[in-house]
Amino acid sequence: MPNRKPRPSQPGRVTLSEIAARVGTSAITVSRAINAPHLVSEELRAQIDAAIAELGYVPNRAARALASARSESVAVLIPSLSNTVFTELLSGVRDVLYAEGYRTMIGDTRYGAGEEESLLRAYLEHSPDGILLTGFDQTDAARELIARSRIPVVHMMELGPPGSYAVGLSQVDAGYAITMHLLERGYRRIAFLGAQLDPRVMQRLSGCRAALTQAGVPYPAGEILDPTPSSIGIGAQMLERLRSQAPDCDAVFCCNDDLAHGVLFECQRQGIRVPQDLAVAGFNDLAASAWTCPTLTTIATPRYLIGSAAATMLLKLMRSETPEPAQIDVGFSLVAREST
Amino acid sequence: MPNRKPRPSQPGRVTLSEIAARVGTSAITVSRAINAPHLVSEELRAQIDAAIAELGYVPNRAARALASARSESVAVLIPSLSNTVFTELLSGVRDVLYAEGYRTMIGDTRYGAGEEESLLRAYLEHSPDGILLTGFDQTDAARELIARSRIPVVHMMELGPPGSYAVGLSQVDAGYAITMHLLERGYRRIAFLGAQLDPRVMQRLSGCRAALTQAGVPYPAGEILDPTPSSIGIGAQMLERLRSQAPDCDAVFCCNDDLAHGVLFECQRQGIRVPQDLAVAGFNDLAASAWTCPTLTTIATPRYLIGSAAATMLLKLMRSETPEPAQIDVGFSLVAREST
DNA sequence: TTGTAGGCGTTATCAG
DNA sequence: CTGATAACGCCTACAA
């Protein structure tokens, strides 16, 4: 008769059966009292609730996930946590999912498809019931992982090909729209400042190019592209580069508001009048953009809405429903302010 | 003979024993090949690795957590995801923990102790191996939950009482230091603008008061406190209030940089010269503060370091080691720029 | 170096 | 409405 030592298990953690023993019922009934109270008599339920409170019972999600094959968690992968664009996305996601009992596992891909793949690999071990991704720039291996797992996926921020689910907006159209705005204001030598150069930035650039070409005023000299992460500092620095590379430029479309803020600050510092000497436009409408001097013309994108709508769509998919439509275009709006 | 239907389980998900069957060994050996490769012969390991790749095996964390009583996850609770102060904290935490195989479960308390308690309750179900909290402002019930769970906790941002583990800085001292800086510059009617009014803001205020009292120039008329969440907009608005409530004020210490940016923008707009007409100081040294016009004097706080050091301390606690010291004061530094 | 036995805490299934 | 039973996939303990 081997004298086995007790198994590990968490010391002092109360289990369903301990509650059951205390009340004089079975574990399954306690489980039901928690998850489907209407199936348990009121009397028993009251005793169970009391025992739960008294003993400080905390359900064990791992056991539940194992037994039910549902983790009630969702993996959310965003490019960066230090960009409020994506944290606002997360707020929308969280508000919708948390209310339905789902936990959100956040992953920060640092704008890298490789990092995204490795995060995906890591998070798949948790058997998320759903996955939210930013954009469509996945590696083949990542797509393969997802396909094999059969876990529903919704993409955020951009719109994608048929067969995919997505909530976002046409970054190309938005880039086109703000460039058209500059053209309508009379600017002709319109530069583009791009940092990070993630897919969305390149899509905005392509919208910008399309507008300029259509207007017959392409301005390739004014394109400054730098893969460095976007920041106010790099924006300020890019203004320098722009002035030497394209001194006759009369307006600049910055691929995002951070860059634009850097440009605005640097203009102030150098006494360049905005918009008289140089018009400045941004993208995203960050909170600060309504307060800078001058206030910044930009494209407002409904991040919170994208997050919440994507989560809502994912909820449907997780319930094996078919969301309609599969692609939600939340659009964007041009916010014309003082800087143009 | 009851004809039982198959249990749920995830369709198509490969398990350890399927790998084992494929290779002609046992599940436990496959488990070892994954978790302790040195215990398995090279030959067998190669076959196992091949089978894993071929069948696309993904470990099941729930099963592992259940069997091992360790979830390899850490709950991290921060007041807000939309404040880069806390997302930088998260970066430090993540970098340290992820490298050690831990997953980070992020919770956003919205600056509420009640929300924090409820998040804690939710996250405890996942049996995190450790917990990281922001500040010491927990509800009694939350403290009770943590104590019962016996899960190690490290607090971030502030320093706490003996018996607790923390990595942070004295917010009181920092508030004192920047006020002293203003006093040394010759300012005497020094106002304090505070929003959100979370514990750290109140600690900064108390440092500010201490400095003013010590210098014999208290200035209660200049204290403007508003529980509204901090933002650039509320900063701009508070400048208005300040000018009417304390028109003779010559310097203002804003409880954080967001507020200070709002004040700076509003000063520009109104033609108030900074620092000649009004000196402005902030707190945290956000990225933008080095670029505003004028650049902002502020207190730099090492957020990434706080996060990484707290995670490192927690790692020790999770290994049942005793971190020394139990409280790490990372300090702060005064960054004197143009605005004062 | 490998394998056997058993159980971690919960839920699905079916029987009362 | 309640309960007995058998998994879920993996790991600890022990044995060989």
Side-chain angles (χ1 to χ4, degrees):
Chain A
M1 189 62 66
N3 180 16
R4 293 177 175 282
K5 285 181 186 166
R7 301 279 343 268
S9 100
Q10 279 147 356
R13 182 143 179 189
V14 181
T15 68
L16 272 188
S17 7
E18 293 178 59
I19 302 292
R22 176 70 152 236
V23 175
T25 179
S26 65
I28 186 66
T29 302
V30 178
S31 169
R32 279 196 279 252
I34 292 169
N35 300 309
H38 61 281
L39 294 178
V40 177
S41 73
E42 200 164 334
E43 188 187 9
L44 201 46
R45 218 168 46 203
Q47 292 182 61
I48 290 172
D49 289 346
I52 285 175
E54 188 186 349
L55 299 183
Y57 169 72
V58 176
N60 184 327
R61 295 291 270 224
R64 181 212 281 257
L66 189 57
S68 69
R70 303 189 321 115
S71 65
E72 295 186 286
S73 73
V74 167
V76 187
L77 267 33
I78 57 173
S80 161
L81 267 175
S82 52
N83 187 331
T84 58
V85 166
F86 302 116
T87 55
E88 288 172 32
L89 214 54
L90 286 181
S91 293
V93 167
R94 189 211 108 115
D95 286 353
V96 169
L97 292 183
Y98 197 82
E100 296 290 323
Y102 286 92
R103 302 287 168 267
T104 296
M105 306 184 37
I106 299 168
D108 168 358
T109 69
R110 303 177 183 201
Y111 286 99
E115 279 266 354
E116 185 182 53
E117 178 189 324
S118 108
L119 276 173
L120 209 45
R121 221 176 277 280
Y123 283 2
L124 281 176
E125 300 188 353
H126 293 267
S127 323
D129 295 337
I131 297 173
L132 290 170
L133 299 178
T134 307
F136 284 88
D137 189 32
Q138 283 74 43
T139 65
D140 288 340
R143 275 186 260 270
E144 168 77 13
L145 279 173
I146 293 171
R148 279 194 163 185
S149 73
R150 300 191 204 169
I151 299 171
V153 177
V154 174
H155 298 254
M156 303 182 290
M157 298 302 290
E158 304 172 31
L159 297 174
S164 64
Y165 293 95
V167 179
L169 56 104
S170 166
Q171 306 276 338
V172 176
D173 288 358
Y176 179 91
I178 194 146
T179 308
M180 282 307 290
H181 163 81
L182 291 172
L183 287 166
E184 282 161 14
R185 284 276 213 252
Y187 303 105
R188 283 298 174 270
R189 291 176 303 283
I190 299 174
F192 179 91
L193 300 191
Q196 187 70 58
L197 308 186
D198 60 85
R200 286 167 295 288
V201 166
M202 299 316 282
Q203 288 161 28
R204 289 166 205 161
L205 169 58
S206 112
C208 174
R209 283 176 177 162
L212 293 183
T213 301
Q214 181 188 311
V217 293
Y219 192 62
E223 283 182 14
I224 298 190
L225 304 178
D226 188 323
T228 306
S230 189
S231 70
I232 293 177
I234 192 86
Q237 186 191 316
M238 284 176 120
L239 177 63
E240 290 298 278
R241 283 199 251 165
L242 178 65
R243 300 294 278 187
S244 67
Q245 179 175 325
D248 62 340
C249 150
D250 60 6
V252 52
F253 166 28
C254 303
C255 74
N256 64 43
D257 281 7
D258 287 309
L259 243 44
H261 297 160
V263 167
L264 287 182
F265 291 145
E266 193 61 23
C267 282
Q268 281 204 337
R269 203 146 269 128
Q270 300 193 11
I272 299 168
R273 293 169 308 161
V274 176
Q276 296 87 341
D277 301 334
L278 182 71
V280 179
F283 197 102
N284 272 334
D285 195 22
L286 299 188
S289 299
W291 297 95
T292 49
C293 295
T295 54
L296 182 67
T297 292
T298 187
I299 293 284
T301 51
R303 277 94 61 180
Y304 183 93
L305 174 63
I306 293 175
S308 58
T312 303
M313 188 183 277
L314 186 63
L315 276 175
K316 289 203 181 116
L317 288 168
M318 293 191 295
R319 294 180 187 129
S320 302
E321 300 168 18
T322 302
E324 195 67 50
Q327 307 271 333
I328 298 180
D329 185 348
V330 296
F332 55 84
S333 57
L334 176 72
V335 184
R337 296 205 184 97
E338 297 162 357
S339 69
T340 55
Chain B
M1 190 64 64
N3 180 15
R4 293 176 175 283
K5 285 181 188 168
R7 300 279 339 268
S9 99
Q10 280 146 354
R13 183 143 177 187
V14 181
T15 69
L16 272 190
S17 9
E18 294 179 59
I19 301 292
R22 176 68 152 235
V23 176
T25 179
S26 65
I28 186 63
T29 301
V30 179
S31 168
R32 280 197 279 252
I34 293 170
N35 300 308
H38 60 283
L39 293 179
V40 176
S41 72
E42 201 165 330
E43 188 188 10
L44 201 46
R45 217 167 49 203
Q47 292 183 60
I48 290 173
D49 289 346
I52 285 175
E54 188 186 350
L55 301 183
Y57 170 72
V58 176
N60 183 327
R61 293 294 268 223
R64 179 212 285 258
L66 188 58
S68 69
R70 302 187 322 115
S71 65
E72 295 186 285
S73 72
V74 166
V76 186
L77 267 36
I78 57 173
S80 161
L81 266 175
S82 53
N83 186 331
T84 58
V85 166
F86 302 116
T87 55
E88 289 174 31
L89 214 54
L90 287 180
S91 293
V93 167
R94 188 212 109 115
D95 286 353
V96 169
L97 292 182
Y98 197 82
E100 296 290 321
Y102 286 92
R103 302 286 171 267
T104 297
M105 305 186 37
I106 299 168
D108 168 358
T109 69
R110 302 176 186 203
Y111 286 98
E115 279 264 356
E116 185 182 52
E117 178 188 325
S118 108
L119 276 173
L120 210 44
R121 220 177 278 280
Y123 283 3
L124 281 176
E125 300 188 353
H126 293 268
S127 323
D129 296 336
I131 298 173
L132 290 170
L133 299 177
T134 306
F136 285 87
D137 189 33
Q138 284 72 45
T139 65
D140 287 341
R143 275 187 259 271
E144 168 78 12
L145 280 173
I146 293 171
R148 280 193 164 186
S149 74
R150 299 191 205 168
I151 298 172
V153 177
V154 174
H155 298 256
M156 302 182 291
M157 296 304 287
E158 303 174 33
L159 296 173
S164 65
Y165 293 95
V167 178
L169 56 104
S170 167
Q171 306 277 336
V172 176
D173 289 357
Y176 179 90
I178 195 147
T179 309
M180 283 305 291
H181 163 82
L182 292 171
L183 287 165
E184 282 161 14
R185 284 276 212 251
Y187 304 106
R188 283 299 173 270
R189 292 175 303 283
I190 300 173
F192 179 92
L193 300 190
Q196 187 69 59
L197 308 186
D198 60 86
R200 285 167 296 288
V201 166
M202 300 315 281
Q203 289 161 27
R204 290 167 205 162
L205 169 58
S206 114
C208 175
R209 282 175 177 161
L212 293 182
T213 302
Q214 182 188 309
V217 293
Y219 192 62
E223 283 181 13
I224 299 188
L225 304 178
D226 189 322
T228 307
S230 189
S231 68
I232 293 178
I234 192 86
Q237 186 191 317
M238 285 177 120
L239 176 65
E240 290 297 277
R241 285 199 250 165
L242 178 65
R243 301 292 278 186
S244 66
Q245 180 176 323
D248 63 341
C249 152
D250 60 7
V252 53
F253 167 27
C254 304
C255 74
N256 64 42
D257 281 7
D258 287 309
L259 244 44
H261 296 161
V263 167
L264 286 182
F265 291 144
E266 192 61 23
C267 282
Q268 282 204 336
R269 201 146 269 131
Q270 300 192 9
I272 299 168
R273 292 170 309 161
V274 177
Q276 296 87 342
D277 300 337
L278 182 70
V280 179
F283 198 103
N284 272 332
D285 195 22
L286 298 188
S289 299
W291 297 96
T292 51
C293 294
T295 56
L296 182 67
T297 292
T298 187
I299 293 283
T301 52
R303 278 94 61 180
Y304 182 92
L305 174 64
I306 293 176
S308 58
T312 304
M313 187 183 276
L314 186 63
L315 277 175
K316 289 203 181 117
L317 288 168
M318 293 191 295
R319 295 178 186 132
S320 303
E321 299 168 18
T322 303
E324 193 68 51
Q327 307 271 332
I328 297 179
D329 185 348
V330 295
F332 55 85
S333 56
L334 176 71
V335 184
R337 296 204 184 97
E338 298 163 355
S339 69
T340 55

